[in-house]
Amino acid sequence: MSEYREIITKAVVGKGRKFTQSTHTVTAPNRPSSILGCWIINHRYEAKKCDKTVEIHGHYDINVWYSYNNNTKTEVVTETVSYTDVVKLKYRDKDNLISDDTDIIVRVIQQPNCLECTISPNGNKIVVDVEREFVAEVIGETKVCVAINPEGCGKDDDFCDDDDLDEELEDLSPDLLLGEEE
């Protein structure tokens, strides 16, 4: 019998990371005097694999609190913006990939965050600089090769000895399992 086996399992077969800085222009109903605050909420996205990349399509709301009318009144303007980020897959295990049926896992490393919010030079728009970062992983069925112990699990192997575990469980106090009642 062979000392090695091929095991078919799901594993990460592709990986990539994408950091993006983007600039958005928000139109306010009134001419802004000063920016009082800016925050980004309601971030949603979905991803799909496209050949050697993962495309992330998403959107979020930009909220800008500003003053107008010579700093005598304030208002919050909200604008929803969409984006597409393309993540290049830097590590791919295509030699051992069994099928094209893959799963995509995308994690947000940095939620969309306002870096800077200013009034445009002509004074009628608000310019918002945003950053965001994603990690994308492609999960697929692949083969791995493992070494086999021809003697199997012996008595000397700690991880195969259930007798010690049974003894530890017998020594447990029933009060510990039920908790103390007063």
Side-chain angles (χ1 to χ4, degrees):
M1 192 165 220
S2 174
E3 293 182 26
Y4 295 94
R5 297 279 190 279
E6 284 185 340
I7 296 176
I8 296 174
T9 186
K10 287 197 174 234
V12 175
V13 295
K15 212 180 236 192
R17 188 176 189 140
K18 176 75 174 202
F19 175 79
T20 306
Q21 287 185 334
S22 56
T23 301
H24 305 287
T25 303
V26 177
T27 304
N30 302 295
R31 187 177 182 90
S33 300
S34 63
I35 303 298
L36 304 173
C38 181
W39 61 98
I40 297 173
I41 60 172
N42 299 327
H43 180 219
R44 299 283 182 257
Y45 64 92
E46 54 187 43
K48 65 178 181 176
K49 186 173 182 291
C50 297
D51 196 27
K52 297 178 182 180
T53 64
V54 172
E55 283 186 8
I56 303 169
H57 301 278
H59 59 87
Y60 46 80
D61 295 336
I62 299 176
N63 293 293
V64 180
W65 180 32
Y66 68 98
S67 67
Y68 63 97
N69 201 13
N70 290 325
N71 294 321
T72 59
K73 297 182 180 181
T74 67
E75 189 170 287
V76 174
V77 62
T78 301
E79 194 166 304
T80 301
V81 297
S82 299
Y83 66 88
T84 299
D85 286 343
V86 178
V87 181
K88 293 180 184 175
L89 298 175
K90 294 183 171 65
Y91 163 75
R92 295 187 349 182
D93 183 12
K94 64 182 177 188
D95 297 334
N96 295 317
L97 195 58
I98 293 174
S99 74
D100 291 333
D101 184 28
T102 57
D103 297 318
I104 307 299
I105 297 175
V106 174
R107 291 186 317 242
V108 178
I109 301 297
Q110 171 66 58
Q111 287 286 349
N113 181 46
C114 176
L115 294 172
E116 186 175 18
C117 185
T118 57
I119 300 170
S120 67
N122 62 8
N124 62 346
K125 305 256 185 201
I126 299 169
V127 179
V128 181
D129 293 328
V130 176
E131 69 178 355
R132 60 185 177 271
E133 187 172 12
F134 293 96
V135 168
E137 294 178 328
V138 179
I139 310 296
E141 281 191 355
T142 186
K143 289 182 187 179
V144 293
C145 187
V146 297
I148 303 297
N149 182 355
E151 298 172 14
C153 291
K155 228 16 186 165
D156 295 334
D157 294 335
D158 289 337
F159 62 90
C160 291
D161 191 2
D162 289 337
D163 292 338
D164 289 341
L165 179 62
D166 290 340
E167 287 176 18
E168 287 181 31
L169 290 175
E170 287 175 5
D171 292 341
L172 283 179
S173 166
D175 294 335
L176 177 67
L177 295 174
L178 298 175
E180 291 183 32
E181 292 185 24
E182 294 180 27

